[in-house]
Structures are given as C-alpha cells and as structure tokens.
Amino acid sequence: MSEEIDFILESTEESMNGSIAHLEKEFLNIRAGKASPAMLGSVFVDYYGSATPLSQVSKISVPDARTITLQPFEKNMLQVIEKAIMIANIGFNPMNNGDVIIISVPPLTEDRRRELAKQAKAEAEDAKIGVRNVRKDANTDIKKLEKEGTSEDICKSAEEEVQNLTNTYIKKIDELLAAKEAEIMKV
C-alpha cells in the first residue's frame, strides 16, 4: 500500500512543480522595464505561408537595457518582421534601417508598473489555486486508499506530507512574486 502513497506524493510534487514552471513562464511575458528577447516571444511572422516564431527568422539581441535589435536571416524579411511586430500590438514601434530592425523599449510609467504588478499578483494567485487543487486531488486519492484498507496512520502522515508540500510550493510562489514585483517597481 505504501507504493500507492509514494506514487500519489510523487505525482503531487510533479504537478506542483508544473505550477511553478508555468508561473515562471508567465512572469517572462510580464515586462519589467528593461529590454529582453522574451518580450518578443509572442510575435509570429508569416514565413512563406506559415506562422513562424520571430526567433526562427531573425537573430534577436539586446545591446543595452533599452534596445532590442533584430537581424533577419533573409534581407527580404525586414518589412514582414516589422509588420508582424506592429500587428502583435505589444507596444513597440520598430524602426527599419535597411539592415536591422531596432526597437526602443520605452520606460514604464508609474501607472503601468502598478498595472504590471497587479498582473503578476493575478498570475501568482492562479498558480496558488493550481497548487491547492493538486493538494485536494491528492487528499481525495489518499482518502480512497484509506477506504480500501490502508491504515489510518499511514494516510494521516501522507496527508500531512501533502500539506507540507503545499506550504513549500505556496512559499516558493510568494518568493517568485516578491522578486517579480521588485523587478517591476524598480525604476
């Protein structure tokens, strides 16, 4: 019976790790004032009839904290990339100098910083809900095992372990949120 408990605990931890990984991915999409290639992660370019991520048709570099440059692998892609950035509606105005596309990242206003911090809080709350749902599912599975004959003591200790995992992952989410908020609010 303890194999089943171990399996429940392992899959619980794996699912909670998934919530953390998803949160980190979402935080990458929340811009924090300094230029990053991840800011263009949602931009897709029409490359010979198929939607292709921007990173596959150009070299993206960040020469300084306020500038992103794109060097297309094919010269004829300059206008297509420029148009795709405009269509993506991510708040950037690309400039094409004939060789590269230069994007100046404007500094964030105080209101925009607060808005982004609020968005980060919402993402963190979604991750916490995910962790709590995983806890609920694990506890349900443990209760089923108890009904099937697993000793009450083993089930209680398994539920305590699930709660400890939940507390650990909620704390990680809070730490990630605090770091992201500090990054967003830093001028």
Side-chain angles (χ1 to χ4, degrees):
M1 284 294 182
S2 88
E3 284 180 14
E4 291 167 333
I5 297 277
D6 288 344
F7 175 75
I8 290 170
L9 292 174
E10 283 175 19
S11 64
T12 298
E13 188 163 12
E14 196 175 301
S15 295
M16 289 180 180
N17 267 327
S19 289
I20 296 284
H22 178 75
L23 178 66
E24 289 171 335
K25 186 173 172 257
E26 290 301 316
F27 276 177
L28 282 178
N29 293 332
I30 299 175
R31 109 168 206 222
K34 66 179 184 202
S36 160
M39 292 175 164
L40 300 173
S42 63
V43 178
F44 284 82
V45 177
D46 180 27
Y47 186 65
Y48 296 108
S50 65
T52 308
L54 187 59
S55 60
Q56 292 182 13
V57 295
S58 68
K59 177 180 172 252
I60 303 172
S61 57
V62 183
D64 61 54
R66 294 260 177 250
T67 311
I68 300 173
T69 59
L70 296 126
Q71 175 77 51
F73 298 136
E74 298 175 26
K75 266 277 211 251
N76 63 339
M77 292 300 292
L78 276 168
Q79 278 79 29
V80 178
I81 291 172
E82 198 173 10
K83 185 178 173 191
I85 293 168
M86 298 295 272
I87 290 171
N89 196 18
I90 49 178
F92 294 140
N93 191 13
M95 294 177 291
N96 174 352
N97 72 3
D99 290 325
V100 295
I101 294 173
I102 301 165
I103 299 172
S104 291
V105 179
L108 295 172
T109 64
E110 189 64 30
D111 287 343
R112 183 70 178 134
R113 286 180 196 281
R114 284 197 191 100
E115 199 177 296
L116 290 173
K118 206 181 283 184
Q119 185 183 345
K121 268 190 185 123
E123 292 295 344
E125 195 53 46
D126 288 347
K128 287 180 182 180
I129 289 168
V131 166
R132 291 182 190 122
N133 286 339
V134 171
R135 174 186 62 190
K136 187 180 111 203
D137 293 344
N139 285 337
T140 303
D141 292 345
I142 291 168
K143 292 226 185 309
K144 275 185 199 164
L145 287 178
E146 191 174 352
K147 286 180 182 171
E148 292 171 5
T150 305
S151 85
E152 196 176 321
D153 291 343
I154 291 173
C155 289
K156 284 288 177 215
S157 76
E159 285 177 356
E160 287 173 14
E161 183 63 31
V162 168
Q163 185 57 47
N164 289 340
L165 280 172
T166 303
N167 294 342
T168 302
Y169 281 92
I170 294 286
K171 187 175 177 217
K172 277 185 188 176
I173 290 169
D174 288 336
E175 289 167 0
L176 287 170
L177 175 61
K180 188 63 178 181
E181 282 181 326
E183 183 184 335
I184 290 169
M185 297 311 282
K186 190 173 83 179
V187 179

